[in-house]
Amino acid sequence: MPASPGSALLEEMLAGWQRQQQARRLTARLAGERERVIRQFTAFSGCWPWQWTAAQAEAWLASGGWAHSTVRSYQGALALFLEYVCDPRYGWVSECGQRAGAVPVQLFHERNTAAHVCEHEGRAERRPLTRAELQAFFDAADDHVEKAAGSRRKGWLASFRDATLFKVVYGWGLRRREAAMLDVAGFAPNPAAPELGGLGVCHVRYGKAMRGSPPRRRAVATVMPWAAEALAQYLEDVRPRCGVPSHPALWLTGRGGRISPRSVDERFAAWREAAGLPGGLPVHCLRHSYISHLIEDGADPLFVQQQAGHSWASTTATYTTVGQDARNRMLRSALARAFEGEDGR
């Protein structure tokens, strides 16, 4: 069945927009998410882009109950698409006028666009874990591994793999995708810490990209020896049993492929519930915890920023939540230095 003229014209516009984003070297995932927003709003409005109105866009964004950051993302996708089709260099205005009898217009302006006024726009329930919560999560993970191993089921390899993965996420402060894309060769000795052997530094090759740039790389020094010990045990005792020693990935599935970020989310949710933690906490809270706990333990803020791969100290600050005990220790230390300076003792 042939497509309607309106549908055909929309597909041509979306294809052209995809090519523009490819020319900017944006990832296929980002371009696909933006296209999904366009199709979702088209279905909501029941109109084609050359028929859209600002009132329709505002009604759609008001109906979703989305987070502030999500609304800004959707507004940005729609605004960028309309910026493309309204640009005279691409000829879509005249094309729509000839084929549809109407032309698209930009719907967003300063009066109907969510402002970006603070550094952190994530949900309030997303926060670092306390040390007790972190221990409860790892205990739940280890309990699951022990039960699976005791039942002699094949799934214990995957359970051990995932328990180690979460310890690596926390132990090196990684993002979910950074951890999933790790290779065995991504770890190397650190001359400054020879006691850690071949796990002295983690080379992250798939760091968060910026504005169409390739993935950013960084080297994360190992600061938690217990995490290195857990990874060493996985590499020696568990990974060889996956049956594909030539595969470069650190985390292998039962079929010999690389683990997916989605499966990481699913396992984390299951063990989060088993540990009795709030449901709003995502995997990323382990990275938040790594940064906060390093600051609490007295690590230099610039060192923590470099470990996390942040360009700006303000970004690291948004990840940091210092507990009351740590703040009290810092207060007493500051007061001790102040009083010592006054009386000379």
Side-chain angles (χ1 to χ4, degrees), residues 295-297 321-337:
I295 294 295
E296 286 184 353
D297 292 340
T321 301
V322 179
Q324 187 61 46
D325 289 343
R327 280 184 285 186
N328 288 337
R329 290 197 303 271
M330 294 176 187
L331 172 63
R332 295 310 314 172
S333 177
L335 290 175
R337 290 194 301 270

Side-chain angles (χ1 to χ4, degrees), residues 159-169 227 230-231 234 251 271:
S159 297
F160 198 110
R161 174 203 65 199
D162 293 343
T164 309
L165 183 149
F166 292 129
K167 293 171 184 175
V168 169
V169 169
L231 178 57
Y234 166 77
W251 318 110
W271 289 347

Side-chain angles (χ1 to χ4, degrees), residues 67-304:
H68 185 93
S69 58
T70 303
V71 170
R72 281 209 319 110
S73 174
Y74 288 179
Q75 288 174 340
L78 284 167
L80 287 172
F81 174 71
L82 291 170
E83 180 182 311
Y84 164 73
V85 298
C86 293
D87 191 326
R89 289 172 290 191
Y90 294 101
W92 289 113
V93 171
S94 58
E95 189 74 14
C96 290
Q98 294 174 8
R99 294 169 59 176
V103 298
V105 296
Q106 181 60 262
L107 306 181
F108 294 99
H109 49 82
E110 62 178 7
R111 297 296 183 185
N112 68 350
T113 304
H116 185 193
V117 296
C118 64
E119 183 71 24
H120 181 64
E121 295 182 338
R123 295 183 182 273
E125 61 268 22
R126 297 186 176 185
R127 56 169 176 78
L129 300 178
T130 66
R131 295 177 190 265
E133 289 175 330
L134 184 69
Q135 188 62 56
F137 176 80
F138 286 143
D139 287 345
D142 291 340
D143 288 345
H144 191 279
V145 174
E146 291 181 5
K147 291 178 181 178
S151 64
R152 298 184 179 181
R153 292 180 301 176
K154 186 178 180 181
W156 82 268
L157 291 175
S159 297
F160 198 110
R161 174 203 65 199
D162 293 343
T164 309
L165 183 149
F166 292 129
K167 293 171 184 175
V168 169
V169 169
Y170 171 73
W172 281 269
L174 304 180
R175 298 178 178 89
R176 178 192 59 172
R177 185 169 184 269
E178 291 174 349
M181 296 301 293
L182 282 176
D183 288 342
V184 175
F187 289 85
N190 185 349
E195 62 270 35
L196 296 174
L199 302 177
V201 61
C202 174
H203 292 282
V204 177
R205 297 188 300 115
Y206 287 87
K208 187 177 181 180
M210 299 293 289
R211 297 183 179 275
S213 66
R216 292 194 296 175
R217 299 190 178 202
R218 74 179 187 276
V220 185
T222 303
V223 296
M224 299 183 183
W226 64 267
E229 292 176 4
L231 178 57
Q233 184 181 5
Y234 166 77
L235 290 172
E236 294 172 5
D237 300 337
V238 177
R239 190 182 180 281
R241 304 191 185 195
C242 295
V244 280
S246 61
H247 199 293
L250 180 60
W251 318 110
L252 295 172
T253 66
R255 297 182 178 181
R258 187 183 295 273
I259 193 174
S260 69
R262 175 173 293 184
S263 65
V264 175
D265 285 336
E266 293 172 351
R267 179 75 81 173
F268 180 83
W271 289 347
R272 177 190 62 203
E273 181 178 356
L277 301 181
L281 296 173
V283 180
H284 204 63
C285 71
L286 295 177
R287 175 172 161 86
H288 285 246
S289 304
Y290 169 83
I291 294 172
S292 296
H293 295 168
L294 283 185
I295 294 295
E296 286 184 353
D297 292 340
D300 182 84
L302 179 58
F303 172 76
V304 178

